[in-house]
Amino acid sequence: MKYTNNPLGASESGIRLNHAANVLRTWWSFHVRWPWVKYRGFIRVGKHTTFARLQVELGDRVQFGPYCEIAAPVKIGDSVLFGAGCHIVGKHDHTVDIPGRTVWDGERQGNALTVIGNDVWIGNGTIIVSDGLTIGDGAVVGAGSVVTRSIPAMEIWAGNPARRIRDRFPPEGRTAHQEYLDKTFKDE
């Protein structure tokens, strides 16, 4: 395995040892603790991260920082980073508009599948309030954002509610990066 995302000053032997420990931790996590989560490849899960008993599919090289919560159906691509304290929650989890019924007693509603593409970075503390939204390939979501609608590929969004800040690359860089992603993730 090629190691390219290493902490500064980390030794090669330490990196290899951490990788081996993570492979074992991943196997245990997704075969014993969260067996309903489908995963493909290398996954890092920070402490106190949780996955609800819903449809959850993870690609290769997906990393969750500590204290993340996945509480809505989601399909996540390859090479995706979640900072600490990120949440994916359903937009329609609780019925709140029935007179004479408390939120506690309201019916739970389903949420459509959220799709997060390849090469996406979700900054610390981001909340994705979802009912079938898509975050496109190469997108970046700034820390502390509240995402309530789909984000196109190769754009940087931030804020509450999240809005477009700018393109991730200039036009020629966007084309080059899209070609790179198409080549890198062509079999998926």
Side-chain angles (χ1 to χ4, degrees), residues 10 37 44 51 59 62 71 74 76 89 98 100 132 152 156 162 177:
V37 174
R44 284 187 186 135
F51 298 89
V62 175
V74 65
I76 299 171
V89 298
I98 300 174
I156 298 174
H177 195 67

Side-chain angles (χ1 to χ4, degrees), residues 3-184:
Y3 300 99
T4 58
N5 186 14
N6 304 325
L8 293 175
S11 70
E12 184 70 23
S13 60
I15 292 167
R16 289 186 185 281
L17 184 60
N18 283 340
H19 176 77
N22 191 78
V23 168
L24 291 173
R25 194 170 40 251
T26 298
W27 184 92
W28 180 85
S29 294
F30 297 119
H31 287 86
V32 177
R33 188 169 182 195
W34 305 300
W36 58 90
V37 174
K38 305 297 179 220
Y39 75 100
R40 181 180 47 75
F42 185 74
I43 311 293
R44 284 187 186 135
V45 178
K47 292 180 181 183
H48 309 292
T49 290
T50 61
F51 298 89
R53 287 187 179 268
L54 299 164
Q55 178 185 354
V56 178
E57 299 176 36
L58 308 176
D60 184 27
R61 298 177 359 142
V62 175
Q63 177 174 306
F64 295 93
Y67 297 97
C68 290
E69 176 190 27
I70 308 305
V74 65
K75 181 176 183 179
I76 299 171
D78 295 342
S79 299
V80 176
L81 299 173
F82 288 86
C86 292
H87 301 269
I88 301 175
V89 298
K91 182 177 182 180
H92 301 292
D93 281 353
H94 299 279
T95 305
V96 298
D97 58 354
I98 300 174
R101 184 176 287 175
T102 64
V103 173
W104 179 272
D105 295 323
E107 296 175 8
R108 303 276 320 233
Q109 299 178 355
N111 292 287
L113 182 69
T114 297
V115 177
I116 298 175
N118 300 310
D119 184 36
V120 173
W121 181 15
I122 309 293
N124 286 12
T126 294
I127 301 170
I128 299 170
V129 182
S130 182
D131 184 22
L133 65 78
T134 297
I135 298 176
D137 289 348
V140 175
V141 180
S145 296
V146 177
V147 178
T148 59
R149 58 189 172 133
S150 292
I151 296 175
M154 311 286 181
E155 291 187 2
I156 298 174
W157 283 46
N160 180 4
R163 62 181 174 74
R164 184 182 184 281
I165 302 300
R166 66 177 175 87
D167 288 335
R168 182 173 167 193
F169 303 103
E172 64 279 1
R174 180 186 174 108
T175 302
H177 195 67
Q178 187 62 60
E179 289 171 359
Y180 169 77
L181 293 179
D182 290 346
K183 184 177 79 171
T184 302

